[in-house]
Coordinates of all heavy atoms in Angstrom, one line a residue:
M1 N 0.9 -1.2 0.0 CA 0.0 0.0 0.0 C 0.9 1.2 0.0 O 1.8 1.3 0.8 CB -0.9 0.0 1.2 CG -2.2 0.7 1.0 SD -3.2 0.8 2.5 CE -3.7 -0.9 2.7
E2 N 0.6 2.2 -0.9 CA 1.3 3.4 -0.9 C 0.6 4.5 -0.3 O -0.5 4.9 -0.7 CB 1.7 3.7 -2.4 CG 3.0 3.1 -2.8 CD 3.3 3.6 -4.2 OE1 2.9 4.7 -4.6 OE2 4.0 2.8 -4.9
S3 N 1.2 5.0 0.8 CA 0.5 6.2 1.4 C 1.5 7.3 1.4 O 2.6 7.2 1.8 CB 0.1 5.8 2.9 OG -0.3 6.9 3.5
A4 N 1.0 8.5 1.0 CA 1.8 9.7 1.1 C 1.6 10.4 2.4 O 2.1 11.5 2.6 CB 1.4 10.6 -0.1
D5 N 1.0 9.8 3.3 CA 0.7 10.4 4.6 C 2.0 10.8 5.3 O 2.9 10.0 5.3 CB -0.1 9.4 5.5 CG -1.1 10.1 6.3 OD1 -1.3 11.3 6.1 OD2 -1.8 9.4 7.1
G6 N 2.0 12.0 5.8 CA 3.2 12.5 6.4 C 4.2 13.1 5.5 O 5.2 13.6 5.9
I7 N 4.0 12.9 4.2 CA 5.0 13.5 3.2 C 4.3 14.7 2.5 O 4.9 15.8 2.6 CB 5.5 12.5 2.2 CG1 6.2 11.3 3.0 CG2 6.4 13.1 1.2 CD1 6.5 10.1 2.1
L8 N 3.2 14.4 1.9 CA 2.5 15.5 1.2 C 1.5 16.3 2.1 O 1.1 17.4 1.8 CB 1.8 15.0 0.0 CG 2.7 14.4 -1.1 CD1 1.8 13.7 -2.1 CD2 3.5 15.4 -1.7
D9 N 1.1 15.6 3.2 CA 0.1 16.1 4.0 C 0.6 17.1 5.0 O 0.4 16.9 6.2 CB -0.6 14.9 4.7 CG -2.0 15.3 5.3 OD1 -2.5 16.4 4.9 OD2 -2.4 14.6 6.2
D10 N 1.3 18.1 4.6 CA 1.9 19.0 5.5 C 0.9 20.1 6.0 O 0.0 20.4 5.2 CB 3.1 19.7 4.9 CG 4.4 19.0 5.2 OD1 4.4 18.2 6.1 OD2 5.4 19.3 4.6
I11 N 1.1 20.5 7.2 CA 0.2 21.5 7.7 C 0.5 22.9 7.0 O 1.7 23.3 7.0 CB 0.4 21.6 9.2 CG1 0.2 20.3 9.9 CG2 -0.5 22.7 9.9 CD1 0.8 20.2 11.3
P12 N -0.5 23.5 6.5 CA -0.2 24.8 5.8 C 0.2 25.9 6.8 O -0.2 25.9 7.9 CB -1.6 25.2 5.2 CG -2.6 24.4 5.9 CD -1.9 23.2 6.5
L13 N 1.1 26.8 6.3 CA 1.5 27.9 7.1 C 0.5 29.0 7.1 O -0.3 29.1 6.1 CB 2.8 28.5 6.5 CG 4.1 27.6 6.5 CD1 5.2 28.3 5.8 CD2 4.5 27.2 7.9
P14 N 0.4 29.7 8.1 CA -0.6 30.9 8.1 C -0.1 31.9 7.1 O 1.1 32.0 6.8 CB -0.5 31.5 9.5 CG 0.8 30.9 10.1 CD 1.1 29.6 9.4
P15 N -1.0 32.6 6.4 CA -0.7 33.6 5.4 C 0.3 34.7 5.9 O 1.2 35.2 5.2 CB -2.0 34.2 4.9 CG -3.0 33.7 5.9 CD -2.5 32.5 6.6
H16 N 0.1 35.1 7.2 CA 0.9 36.1 7.8 C 1.4 35.5 9.1 O 0.6 35.2 9.9 CB 0.2 37.4 8.0 CG -0.3 38.0 6.7 ND1 0.5 38.6 5.8 CD2 -1.6 38.1 6.2 CE1 -0.2 39.0 4.8 NE2 -1.5 38.7 5.0
V17 N 2.7 35.4 9.2 CA 3.3 34.8 10.4 C 3.4 35.9 11.5 O 4.1 36.9 11.4 CB 4.7 34.2 10.1 CG1 5.3 33.7 11.4 CG2 4.6 33.2 9.0
S18 N 2.6 35.7 12.6 CA 2.6 36.6 13.7 C 3.6 36.2 14.8 O 4.1 35.1 14.7 CB 1.2 36.7 14.3 OG 0.9 35.5 14.9
T19 N 3.8 37.1 15.8 CA 4.7 36.7 16.9 C 4.1 35.5 17.6 O 4.9 34.7 18.1 CB 4.7 37.9 17.9 OG1 4.9 39.1 17.1 CG2 5.9 37.8 18.8
E20 N 2.8 35.4 17.7 CA 2.2 34.2 18.4 C 2.5 33.0 17.6 O 2.8 31.9 18.2 CB 0.7 34.3 18.5 CG 0.2 35.3 19.6 CD 0.3 36.8 19.1 OE1 0.0 37.0 17.9 OE2 0.7 37.6 19.8
D21 N 2.5 33.1 16.3 CA 2.8 31.9 15.5 C 4.3 31.5 15.7 O 4.6 30.3 15.8 CB 2.7 32.2 14.0 CG 1.2 32.4 13.6 OD1 0.3 31.8 14.2 OD2 0.9 33.2 12.7
V22 N 5.2 32.4 15.9 CA 6.6 32.1 16.1 C 6.7 31.4 17.4 O 7.4 30.4 17.6 CB 7.4 33.4 16.1 CG1 8.8 33.1 16.6 CG2 7.5 34.0 14.6
T23 N 6.0 31.9 18.5 CA 6.1 31.3 19.8 C 5.6 29.9 19.7 O 6.2 29.0 20.3 CB 5.2 32.1 20.8 OG1 5.6 33.5 20.8 CG2 5.4 31.6 22.2
F24 N 4.5 29.7 19.0 CA 3.9 28.4 18.9 C 4.8 27.4 18.1 O 4.9 26.3 18.5 CB 2.5 28.5 18.1 CG 1.7 27.3 18.3 CD1 1.1 27.0 19.5 CD2 1.4 26.5 17.2 CE1 0.3 25.8 19.6 CE2 0.6 25.4 17.3 CZ 0.1 25.0 18.5
A25 N 5.4 28.0 17.1 CA 6.3 27.1 16.3 C 7.5 26.7 17.1 O 8.0 25.5 17.0 CB 6.8 27.9 15.0
V26 N 8.1 27.6 17.9 CA 9.2 27.3 18.7 C 8.8 26.2 19.7 O 9.5 25.2 20.0 CB 9.7 28.5 19.5 CG1 10.7 28.1 20.5 CG2 10.3 29.5 18.5
R27 N 7.6 26.3 20.3 CA 7.1 25.3 21.2 C 7.0 24.0 20.5 O 7.3 22.9 21.1 CB 5.8 25.8 21.8 CG 5.3 24.7 22.8 CD 4.3 25.4 23.8 NE 4.9 26.5 24.5 CZ 4.2 27.4 25.1 NH1 2.9 27.4 25.2 NH2 4.8 28.4 25.8
A28 N 6.4 24.0 19.3 CA 6.2 22.8 18.6 C 7.5 22.1 18.3 O 7.6 20.8 18.5 CB 5.5 23.1 17.3
I29 N 8.5 22.8 17.9 CA 9.8 22.2 17.7 C 10.4 21.6 18.9 O 11.0 20.5 18.9 CB 10.8 23.3 17.1 CG1 10.3 23.6 15.7 CG2 12.2 22.7 17.0 CD1 11.1 24.8 15.0
S30 N 10.3 22.3 20.0 CA 10.9 21.9 21.3 C 10.1 20.7 21.9 O 10.7 19.7 22.4 CB 11.0 23.1 22.2 OG 10.4 22.8 23.4
V31 N 8.8 20.7 21.7 CA 8.0 19.5 22.2 C 8.2 18.3 21.3 O 8.2 17.2 21.8 CB 6.5 19.9 22.3 CG1 5.6 18.7 22.6 CG2 6.3 20.9 23.5
H32 N 8.2 18.6 20.0 CA 8.4 17.5 19.1 C 9.8 17.3 18.7 O 10.2 17.2 17.5 CB 7.5 17.8 17.8 CG 6.1 17.8 18.1 ND1 5.3 16.7 17.9 CD2 5.3 18.8 18.7 CE1 4.0 17.0 18.3 NE2 4.0 18.2 18.8
A33 N 10.6 17.1 19.7 CA 12.1 16.9 19.5 C 12.3 15.4 19.3 O 11.5 14.6 19.7 CB 12.8 17.3 20.8
P34 N 13.4 15.2 18.6 CA 13.8 13.8 18.3 C 14.2 13.0 19.5 O 14.8 13.6 20.4 CB 14.9 13.9 17.2 CG 15.5 15.2 17.5 CD 14.4 16.1 18.0
E35 N 13.9 11.7 19.5 CA 14.3 10.8 20.6 C 15.0 9.6 19.9 O 14.5 9.1 18.9 CB 13.1 10.3 21.3 CG 13.3 9.5 22.5 CD 12.0 9.2 23.2 OE1 11.1 8.5 22.5 OE2 11.7 9.7 24.3
P36 N 16.2 9.2 20.3 CA 16.9 8.2 19.6 C 16.1 6.8 19.7 O 15.7 6.5 20.8 CB 18.3 8.1 20.3 CG 18.1 8.8 21.5 CD 17.0 9.8 21.4
C37 N 16.0 6.1 18.6 CA 15.3 4.8 18.6 C 16.2 3.9 17.8 O 16.9 4.4 16.9 CB 13.9 4.9 18.0 SG 12.7 5.6 19.1
P38 N 16.0 2.6 18.0 CA 16.8 1.6 17.2 C 16.7 1.8 15.7 O 17.6 1.6 15.0 CB 16.3 0.3 17.6 CG 15.6 0.5 18.9 CD 15.2 1.9 19.0
D39 N 15.5 2.2 15.2 CA 15.3 2.3 13.8 C 15.3 3.8 13.3 O 14.8 4.1 12.3 CB 13.9 1.7 13.4 CG 12.8 2.3 14.2 OD1 13.0 3.1 15.2 OD2 11.6 2.2 13.7
G40 N 16.0 4.6 14.1 CA 16.2 6.0 13.7 C 15.4 6.9 14.7 O 14.6 6.5 15.5
P41 N 15.7 8.2 14.6 CA 15.1 9.2 15.5 C 13.6 9.2 15.4 O 13.1 9.2 14.2 CB 15.8 10.5 15.2 CG 16.3 10.3 13.8 CD 16.6 8.9 13.6
R42 N 12.9 9.3 16.5 CA 11.5 9.4 16.5 C 11.1 10.6 17.3 O 11.8 11.0 18.3 CB 10.8 8.2 17.0 CG 10.8 7.1 16.0 CD 10.1 5.8 16.5 NE 10.0 4.8 15.4 CZ 9.0 4.8 14.5 NH1 8.0 5.6 14.6 NH2 9.1 3.8 13.6
C43 N 9.9 11.2 17.0 CA 9.4 12.3 17.8 C 9.1 11.8 19.2 O 8.4 10.7 19.4 CB 8.1 12.8 17.2 SG 7.3 14.0 18.2
R44 N 9.5 12.5 20.2 CA 9.3 12.0 21.6 C 7.9 12.3 22.0 O 7.4 11.8 23.1 CB 10.3 12.7 22.5 CG 10.1 14.1 22.8 CD 11.1 14.6 23.8 NE 10.9 16.1 24.0 CZ 11.8 16.9 24.5 NH1 13.0 16.4 24.7 NH2 11.6 18.2 24.6
N45 N 7.1 13.1 21.2 CA 5.8 13.4 21.6 C 4.7 12.5 21.0 O 3.8 12.0 21.6 CB 5.5 14.9 21.2 CG 4.2 15.4 21.8 OD1 3.2 15.4 21.2 ND2 4.2 15.8 23.1
D46 N 4.9 12.2 19.7 CA 3.9 11.4 19.0 C 4.5 10.1 18.4 O 3.8 9.4 17.7 CB 3.1 12.2 17.9 CG 4.1 13.0 17.0 OD1 5.1 12.4 16.6 OD2 3.8 14.1 16.7
Q47 N 5.8 9.9 18.6 CA 6.4 8.6 18.1 C 6.5 8.5 16.6 O 6.8 7.4 16.1 CB 5.8 7.4 18.7 CG 5.7 7.4 20.2 CD 7.0 7.5 20.9 OE1 7.9 6.7 20.6 NE2 7.2 8.5 21.7
A48 N 6.2 9.6 15.9 CA 6.3 9.5 14.4 C 7.8 9.6 14.1 O 8.6 10.2 14.8 CB 5.5 10.7 13.8
P49 N 8.2 9.1 12.9 CA 9.6 9.3 12.5 C 10.0 10.8 12.5 O 9.2 11.6 12.0 CB 9.7 8.7 11.1 CG 8.5 7.8 11.0 CD 7.4 8.3 11.9
H50 N 11.1 11.1 13.1 CA 11.5 12.5 13.1 C 12.0 13.0 11.8 O 12.8 12.2 11.1 CB 12.6 12.7 14.2 CG 13.0 14.1 14.4 ND1 12.3 15.0 15.0 CD2 14.2 14.7 13.9 CE1 13.0 16.2 14.9 NE2 14.1 16.0 14.3
P51 N 11.8 14.2 11.3 CA 10.9 15.2 11.9 C 9.4 14.9 11.6 O 9.1 14.7 10.5 CB 11.4 16.5 11.3 CG 11.9 16.1 9.9 CD 12.4 14.7 10.1
C52 N 8.6 15.0 12.6 CA 7.2 14.7 12.4 C 6.5 16.0 11.8 O 7.2 17.0 11.6 CB 6.5 14.4 13.8 SG 6.4 15.8 14.9
R53 N 5.2 15.9 11.5 CA 4.5 17.0 10.9 C 4.6 18.3 11.6 O 4.9 19.3 11.0 CB 3.1 16.6 10.7 CG 2.8 15.9 9.4 CD 1.4 15.3 9.4 NE 0.5 16.3 9.9 CZ -0.8 16.4 9.5 NH1 -1.2 15.6 8.5 NH2 -1.6 17.3 9.9
L54 N 4.4 18.2 12.9 CA 4.4 19.5 13.7 C 5.8 20.1 13.7 O 6.0 21.3 13.7 CB 3.9 19.3 15.1 CG 2.4 19.6 15.1 CD1 1.7 19.0 16.4 CD2 2.2 21.1 15.1
H55 N 6.8 19.2 13.8 CA 8.2 19.7 13.9 C 8.5 20.4 12.5 O 9.1 21.5 12.5 CB 9.2 18.6 14.1 CG 10.6 19.0 14.3 ND1 11.1 19.1 15.6 CD2 11.5 19.4 13.5 CE1 12.4 19.5 15.5 NE2 12.6 19.7 14.2
R56 N 8.1 19.8 11.4 CA 8.4 20.3 10.1 C 7.6 21.6 10.0 O 8.1 22.6 9.4 CB 8.0 19.4 9.0 CG 8.8 18.1 8.9 CD 8.7 17.5 7.5 NE 7.3 17.3 7.1 CZ 6.7 16.1 7.3 NH1 7.2 15.1 8.0 NH2 5.4 16.0 6.9
W57 N 6.4 21.7 10.5 CA 5.6 22.9 10.4 C 6.3 24.0 11.1 O 6.4 25.2 10.6 CB 4.2 22.6 11.0 CG 3.4 23.9 11.1 CD1 2.6 24.4 10.1 CD2 3.2 24.7 12.2 NE1 2.0 25.5 10.5 CE2 2.3 25.8 11.8 CE3 3.8 24.7 13.5 CZ2 2.0 26.8 12.7 CZ3 3.4 25.7 14.4 CH2 2.5 26.8 14.0
G58 N 6.8 23.8 12.3 CA 7.5 24.8 13.1 C 8.7 25.3 12.3 O 8.9 26.5 12.3
R59 N 9.5 24.4 11.8 CA 10.7 24.7 11.1 C 10.4 25.6 9.9 O 11.1 26.6 9.6 CB 11.4 23.5 10.6 CG 12.1 22.7 11.7 CD 13.4 23.3 11.9 NE 14.1 22.7 13.1 CZ 15.2 23.1 13.7 NH1 15.8 24.2 13.2 NH2 15.7 22.5 14.7
R60 N 9.3 25.2 9.1 CA 9.0 26.0 7.9 C 8.5 27.3 8.3 O 8.8 28.3 7.6 CB 7.9 25.2 7.1 CG 8.4 24.0 6.4 CD 7.5 23.4 5.4 NE 6.1 23.9 5.3 CZ 5.0 23.3 5.8 NH1 5.2 22.2 6.5 NH2 3.9 23.8 5.7
L61 N 7.7 27.4 9.3 CA 7.2 28.7 9.7 C 8.4 29.6 10.2 O 8.4 30.8 9.8 CB 6.2 28.5 10.9 CG 5.4 29.7 11.3 CD1 4.0 29.3 11.7 CD2 6.1 30.6 12.4
L62 N 9.3 29.1 10.9 CA 10.4 30.0 11.4 C 11.3 30.4 10.2 O 11.8 31.5 10.2 CB 11.2 29.3 12.5 CG 10.4 29.0 13.8 CD1 11.2 28.3 14.8 CD2 9.9 30.3 14.3
A63 N 11.5 29.4 9.2 CA 12.3 29.8 8.1 C 11.6 30.8 7.3 O 12.2 31.8 6.7 CB 12.5 28.5 7.2
E64 N 10.3 30.7 7.2 CA 9.4 31.7 6.5 C 9.6 33.1 7.1 O 9.6 34.1 6.4 CB 8.0 31.3 6.5 CG 7.0 32.2 5.9 CD 6.9 32.0 4.4 OE1 7.5 31.0 3.9 OE2 6.4 32.8 3.7
R65 N 9.7 33.1 8.4 CA 9.9 34.3 9.2 C 11.4 34.9 9.0 O 11.7 35.9 9.5 CB 9.6 34.0 10.6 CG 9.7 35.1 11.6 CD 8.4 35.9 11.6 NE 8.5 36.9 12.7 CZ 7.6 37.7 13.0 NH1 6.4 37.7 12.4 NH2 7.7 38.6 14.0
G66 N 12.2 34.1 8.4 CA 13.6 34.5 8.1 C 14.6 34.3 9.3 O 15.6 34.8 9.3
L67 N 14.2 33.3 10.2 CA 15.1 33.0 11.3 C 16.1 32.0 10.9 O 15.8 31.0 10.2 CB 14.3 32.5 12.5 CG 13.3 33.5 13.1 CD1 12.5 32.8 14.2 CD2 14.1 34.6 13.7
T68 N 17.3 32.2 11.3 CA 18.4 31.2 11.0 C 18.3 30.1 12.0 O 17.7 30.2 13.0 CB 19.8 31.9 11.1 OG1 20.0 32.3 12.4 CG2 19.9 33.1 10.2
D69 N 19.1 29.0 11.7 CA 19.1 27.9 12.5 C 19.6 28.3 13.9 O 19.1 27.8 14.9 CB 20.1 26.9 11.9 CG 19.5 25.5 11.9 OD1 18.3 25.4 11.5 OD2 20.2 24.5 12.2
R70 N 20.6 29.1 14.0 CA 21.1 29.6 15.3 C 20.1 30.4 16.1 O 20.0 30.1 17.3 CB 22.4 30.4 15.0 CG 23.2 30.6 16.2 CD 24.0 31.9 16.1 NE 25.4 31.6 16.1 CZ 26.3 32.5 15.6 NH1 25.9 33.6 15.0 NH2 27.6 32.2 15.6
Q71 N 19.4 31.2 15.4 CA 18.3 32.0 16.1 C 17.2 31.1 16.6 O 16.7 31.3 17.7 CB 17.7 33.0 15.1 CG 18.7 34.2 14.9 CD 18.1 35.1 13.7 OE1 17.7 34.6 12.7 NE2 18.1 36.4 14.0
I72 N 16.9 30.1 15.8 CA 15.9 29.1 16.2 C 16.3 28.4 17.4 O 15.6 28.2 18.4 CB 15.6 28.1 15.1 CG1 14.9 28.9 13.9 CG2 14.7 27.0 15.5 CD1 14.8 28.1 12.6
R73 N 17.6 28.0 17.4 CA 18.1 27.2 18.6 C 18.1 28.1 19.8 O 17.8 27.6 20.9 CB 19.5 26.7 18.3 CG 19.6 25.2 18.5 CD 20.9 24.7 18.0 NE 21.0 24.8 16.6 CZ 22.1 24.6 15.9 NH1 23.2 24.5 16.5 NH2 22.1 24.7 14.5
A74 N 18.4 29.4 19.7 CA 18.4 30.3 20.8 C 17.0 30.4 21.4 O 16.8 30.5 22.6 CB 19.0 31.6 20.4
L75 N 16.0 30.5 20.5 CA 14.6 30.7 20.9 C 14.1 29.4 21.6 O 13.5 29.5 22.7 CB 13.7 30.9 19.7 CG 13.7 32.3 19.1 CD1 13.0 32.3 17.7 CD2 13.1 33.3 20.0
I76 N 14.6 28.3 21.2 CA 14.2 27.0 21.8 C 14.8 27.0 23.2 O 14.1 26.6 24.2 CB 14.6 25.8 21.0 CG1 13.8 25.8 19.7 CG2 14.4 24.5 21.8 CD1 14.3 24.7 18.7
A77 N 16.1 27.3 23.3 CA 16.8 27.3 24.6 C 16.1 28.2 25.6 O 15.9 27.9 26.7 CB 18.2 27.7 24.4
E78 N 15.7 29.4 25.1 CA 15.1 30.4 25.9 C 13.7 29.9 26.4 O 13.4 30.0 27.6 CB 14.8 31.6 25.0 CG 14.5 32.9 25.7 CD 14.3 34.0 24.7 OE1 15.3 34.3 23.9 OE2 13.2 34.6 24.6
Q79 N 13.0 29.3 25.5 CA 11.7 28.8 25.9 C 11.8 27.6 26.9 O 11.0 27.5 27.9 CB 10.9 28.3 24.7 CG 9.4 28.0 25.0 CD 8.6 28.0 23.8 OE1 8.4 26.9 23.2 NE2 8.1 29.1 23.3
E80 N 12.8 26.7 26.7 CA 13.0 25.6 27.6 C 13.4 26.1 28.9 O 13.1 25.5 30.0 CB 14.0 24.6 27.0 CG 13.3 23.7 26.0 CD 14.2 22.8 25.2 OE1 15.4 22.9 25.4 OE2 13.7 21.9 24.5
A81 N 14.1 27.2 29.0 CA 14.6 27.8 30.3 C 13.4 28.3 31.1 O 13.4 28.2 32.3 CB 15.6 28.8 30.0
T82 N 12.4 28.9 30.4 CA 11.3 29.5 31.1 C 10.2 28.5 31.3 O 9.3 28.7 32.2 CB 10.7 30.7 30.3 OG1 10.5 30.3 29.0 CG2 11.7 31.9 30.3
H83 N 10.2 27.4 30.6 CA 9.1 26.4 30.7 C 9.7 25.2 31.4 O 10.5 24.5 31.0 CB 8.7 26.0 29.2 CG 7.6 25.1 29.2 ND1 6.3 25.5 29.3 CD2 7.5 23.8 29.1 CE1 5.5 24.5 29.2 NE2 6.2 23.4 29.1
Q84 N 9.1 25.0 32.7 CA 9.7 23.9 33.4 C 9.1 22.6 33.0 O 8.2 22.1 33.2 CB 9.6 24.0 35.0 CG 8.9 25.2 35.5 CD 7.4 25.1 35.4 OE1 6.8 24.2 34.7 NE2 6.7 26.1 35.9
Ligands
ZN101 ZN1 5.8 15.2 16.9

């Protein structure tokens, strides 16, 4: 059976990326972080092969916003520091 699920079925980005969207995307990336598994990294939140849909969505949204990898990492670290 051929299923394109998880490949083509990406979550659409909002037409205008707001600050709230950025916060939400950073949270999605940090919550949907990879977890090492024998068959490759998996999302620690939903067990989908990493990067899962929400992780990809967050990445795309932040890239759309023009954030670099380093800036994204800083935002994640910041959020993890304030979020126990
Ligand atoms: Zn996930």
Side-chain angles (χ1 to χ4, degrees):
M1 210 187 286
E2 269 184 29
S3 172
D5 219 0
I7 296 169
L8 295 174
D9 195 18
D10 266 345
I11 304 162
L13 294 176
H16 300 287
V17 178
S18 68
T19 315
E20 286 80 39
D21 292 326
V22 169
T23 308
F24 194 69
V26 170
R27 180 158 304 162
I29 291 174
S30 122
V31 168
H32 294 262
E35 187 176 64
C37 280
D39 59 345
R42 281 183 177 270
C43 175
R44 71 176 177 205
N45 191 264
D46 50 41
Q47 305 303 305
H50 179 78
C52 72
R53 271 168 47 143
L54 265 164
H55 188 100
R56 292 201 308 268
W57 174 84
R59 287 276 174 189
R60 283 189 359 256
L61 191 144
L62 295 179
E64 179 80 14
R65 182 83 174 184
L67 293 174
T68 65
D69 230 43
R70 195 207 242 155
Q71 287 171 313
I72 294 171
R73 234 169 293 163
L75 282 171
I76 293 171
E78 197 177 298
Q79 192 165 88
E80 279 175 352
T82 52
H83 183 83
Q84 5 71 355

